[in-house]
Amino acid sequence: MRIYILIISLYVLLGCKYGDTHSPINKTDSSKFVLFLKNFDSLHLPLSIMKINDFGKYSDTIWQVINGSTQLVSNPVCKVIEKSNYDFIKDKYPTVESYHYMGLYKKRVNEYFLLIMKQNNYLLNEYWMKLCLYDKTGNLKDTLTIAGQKVNDYDCYCEIDTNLVISLRVIKELVSDENNNEALPAMETKEKYIITKAGQLKRLSYIKEKGYFKFENNEIIRTK
């Protein structure tokens, strides 16, 4: 009987010690991460942001008719991420006052969560869509800028197909003395990525070259 009581006592002691050092932290982090995930709608693939007007879907505000009156309201697609949730962002992204974040999409990929959020900085006249990979407890494993614009500087476009192949296209404007209204010089970069089983982004291809481009049918077209 004494041996039985001793074994039970050791079991309880070790169980309590393990719980004090591991369980409460994981439970707290996990439950907070679950609340963080509520800022994101389900991602339906394929996703295409390859034209200028595609960005309009992710404007902070949209025009909506309410009781017969057209009003400017918050965009339901973009859900504001409260500063209390910046713990899941601050290790990779700046969180000073001029930066604001909005939740867009989420998708479970193997043992990880793929999240797409919007990063705004009104002082710098730029906004970006960030693809982030988190583990189950909310640790940020990897990130990638997939779309967005910096005014009069460069634009980033993306496609994500049903196999989760991520295709990027970046157009960086170049300074030129040429007076050509038909086409402007720019540096074009194209990349492809996949997501590994370890929750990391792996680049498959990379092409960067200078060319001349024009704006046509809401799209930047290479002319030569």
Side-chain angles (χ1 to χ4, degrees):
M1 177 64 71
R2 290 180 179 177
I3 294 176
Y4 179 77
I5 293 174
L6 178 61
I7 292 172
I8 293 297
S9 299
L10 287 172
Y11 177 80
V12 172
L13 180 61
L14 290 173
C16 291
K17 182 178 180 182
Y18 182 83
D20 287 342
T21 56
H22 294 279
S23 297
I25 295 175
N26 286 342
K27 287 180 179 178
T28 301
D29 288 351
S30 297
S31 61
K32 189 175 180 182
F33 186 57
V34 169
L35 294 176
F36 178 65
L37 291 175
K38 291 184 177 181
N39 292 291
F40 302 81
D41 292 329
S42 295
L43 174 62
H44 298 287
L45 298 175
L47 174 71
S48 180
I49 308 173
M50 295 300 291
K51 296 187 177 183
I52 297 292
N53 58 359
D54 290 335
F55 290 124
K57 183 178 179 180
Y58 306 100
S59 298
D60 294 356
T61 55
I62 59 172
W63 291 102
Q64 195 172 77
V65 178
I66 302 176
N67 297 325
S69 173
T70 302
Q71 302 178 25
L72 195 62
V73 299
S74 297
N75 187 349
V77 174
C78 303
K79 297 177 176 61
V80 175
I81 297 175
E82 301 296 336
K83 293 187 182 297
S84 58
N85 282 318
Y86 279 9
D87 285 346
F88 297 109
I89 300 172
K90 65 182 183 181
D91 288 342
K92 295 288 185 179
Y93 297 124
T95 55
V96 294
E97 194 65 30
S98 59
Y99 284 90
H100 303 274
Y101 294 87
M102 297 182 176
L104 299 178
Y105 301 121
K106 63 186 173 187
K107 185 176 180 62
R108 185 72 176 267
V109 181
N110 298 321
E111 297 300 315
Y112 302 92
F113 288 95
L114 181 158
L115 302 183
I116 298 177
M117 65 183 71
K118 181 181 176 184
Q119 178 197 76
N120 285 335
N121 189 318
Y122 304 112
L123 295 180
L124 298 178
N125 289 320
E126 64 181 35
Y127 64 92
W128 306 106
M129 292 171 65
K130 307 287 188 176
L131 184 150
C132 307
L133 291 166
Y134 289 86
D135 66 16
K136 295 177 181 178
T137 59
N139 293 313
L140 185 52
K141 304 286 290 183
D142 209 349
T143 68
L144 181 68
T145 299
I146 60 171
Q149 296 178 316
K150 180 173 176 60
V151 176
N152 297 323
D153 192 354
Y154 68 103
D155 304 78
C156 181
Y157 304 89
C158 79
E159 284 184 327
I160 306 177
D161 68 16
T162 53
N163 295 316
L164 285 171
V165 176
I166 304 161
S167 301
L168 303 184
R169 184 191 188 209
V170 177
I171 304 294
K172 167 73 174 176
E173 296 182 20
L174 299 176
V175 177
S176 174
D177 294 328
E178 300 176 34
N179 185 15
N180 187 344
N181 294 324
E182 293 297 321
L184 294 174
M187 190 66 71
E188 180 181 37
T189 304
K190 292 183 177 181
E191 300 176 83
K192 283 187 184 294
Y193 291 85
I194 58 170
I195 299 171
T196 68
K197 290 184 178 180
Q200 301 288 328
L201 291 156
K202 179 181 179 181
R203 189 165 67 184
L204 298 179
S205 63
Y206 178 87
I207 300 173
K208 184 175 183 179
E209 58 184 354
K210 180 181 177 181
Y212 288 82
F213 302 84
K214 66 178 181 179
F215 179 71
E216 184 176 287
N217 296 324
N218 284 308
E219 190 172 2
I220 298 177
I221 306 294
R222 175 185 282 271
T223 60
K224 63 178 180 178

